[in-house]
Amino acid sequence: MATRARIGFETQVGEIVSAYHHYDGYPAGLGYNLVRNYIADRDKFMEAVMLGDASYWGKTPYPSTSLHSFSNAEEDVSVYYGRDRGEENVAPVTFTDFEDFAENWNIAGEEYAYVLRLDGTLTMIARYEDNKVVEDAEDEIILARAAMIKRIKETA
């Protein structure tokens, strides 16, 4: 079952450019991946969003070979609906500002949203917590990941 999310970045004029993400969009999954592999490199983050809607984001948006596809995904590489599945109408969506994004981000049943702000912080919105906005979510995401690992170890 999917945990859908929306990933975006704030532009110099205050717009939020965002794309849909289908799998593992919860903080301990996608959120942690963003913290570990994307937010330190704003250009990489923006390039990944600009590739459009994705099945999931790996550690990197770009494969090392042309053999990468939805059915033959290279390990730790993002899988995009357009590039890797040949789908159309999967371009990023732009919101006029963060307030517009916060009110309208849930386009396709997304449960979480992540926005890389101009100051380099990652803002998170959680649908099932009454659209709670966490302005600087990095610590909360890391704690969610630690709690998930603890639960896994306890049940093993």
Side-chain angles (χ1 to χ4, degrees), residues 81-97:
Y81 291 151
R83 180 190 72 192
D84 304 320
R85 290 174 55 158
E87 294 185 24
E88 297 179 2
N89 302 317
V90 293
V93 174
T94 301
F95 296 84
T96 57
D97 54 26

Side-chain angles (χ1 to χ4, degrees), residues 18 22 56 91:
S18 71
H22 192 70
Y56 62 88

Side-chain angles (χ1 to χ4, degrees), residues 94-151:
T94 301
F95 296 84
T96 57
D97 54 26
F98 186 77
E99 290 75 26
D100 179 30
F101 180 82
E103 290 177 19
N104 301 299
W105 63 275
N106 185 358
I107 297 170
E110 294 92 336
E111 297 165 67
Y112 295 94
Y114 305 92
V115 176
L116 183 60
R117 306 303 290 268
L118 284 175
D119 66 2
T121 61
L122 188 67
T123 297
M124 179 177 71
I125 304 174
R127 178 171 131 201
Y128 295 120
E129 294 179 45
D130 294 326
N131 288 326
K132 173 183 156 187
V133 176
V134 180
E135 291 292 338
D136 188 353
E138 189 172 342
D139 289 341
E140 188 168 316
I141 288 167
I142 291 169
L143 288 172
R145 179 67 172 212
M148 182 184 81
I149 291 170
K150 181 180 178 188
R151 283 191 306 273

